[in-house]
Amino acid sequence: MLVEPAAQAHTDEELRNLEVVRALRHATVEGRKAHMAPGARIHRRGMAHLAARSGAAYAPEGLPDRADEIHAMIAKGDRVWAVWTIHATHGGPLFGHEPTGRPVEVLEVGIWRLAAGKVVEAWFLADEYALAQTFGLLP
């Protein structure tokens, strides 16, 4: 006999943290600052190499029509994990590359640690290879 696992309820803290991360993912780059604690630490892998190679940081105008499609989110204690796809058009300078007009589709994973409703630390892993292909850097 197959027994279904009981639905796991979230704590009030976990529900609040999920809402903060949802709001952060849907905010503009500038608007995300409202969800960050002073001195929050960000750890990025993927896209960081493109930034280091070009000497240019991420610029929101590079993906002017960016929309993040969230595929899954989970919360446990003070942590939230999410997986999403960035959908956009390379319509402006991005990591030192002039606009190509090509569609961008990049899978990304984020992990956030929150305290008092603010992000205090975050880790991001992105499919940098897919973005490099958009720039024509890779086959």
Side-chain angles (χ1 to χ4, degrees):
M1 171 184 221
L2 178 64
V3 178
E4 294 291 323
Q8 183 177 347
H10 288 101
T11 66
D12 288 344
E13 174 193 24
E14 291 165 348
L15 291 172
R16 279 191 305 271
N17 290 344
L18 283 165
E19 285 307 312
V20 168
V21 171
R22 271 191 203 95
L24 186 144
R25 292 298 341 134
H26 292 293
T28 63
V29 171
E30 189 63 31
R32 292 176 189 168
K33 293 177 184 175
H35 304 287
M36 306 298 288
R41 294 183 303 168
I42 305 299
H43 312 280
R44 178 167 279 292
R45 295 296 179 263
M47 295 195 210
H49 295 100
L50 287 172
R53 181 177 187 255
S54 67
Y58 173 79
E61 57 273 10
L63 304 174
D65 58 349
R66 177 180 174 163
D68 292 359
E69 175 189 2
I70 298 172
H71 303 295
M73 293 179 73
I74 58 174
K76 183 68 177 166
D78 65 351
R79 309 287 167 116
V80 173
W81 293 260
V83 178
W84 65 95
T85 299
I86 299 167
H87 298 280
T89 304
H90 183 207
L94 187 63
F95 297 120
H97 297 277
E98 292 304 313
T100 63
R102 293 179 184 154
V104 172
E105 192 169 287
V106 176
L107 185 68
E108 190 163 8
V109 175
I111 305 166
W112 296 264
R113 185 170 62 85
L114 294 95
K118 299 283 185 181
V119 174
V120 295
E121 194 166 15
W123 298 261
F124 299 98
L125 304 158
D127 183 359
E128 188 172 44
Y129 190 90
L131 191 55
Q133 284 181 308
T134 300
F135 297 150
L137 298 175
L138 302 167

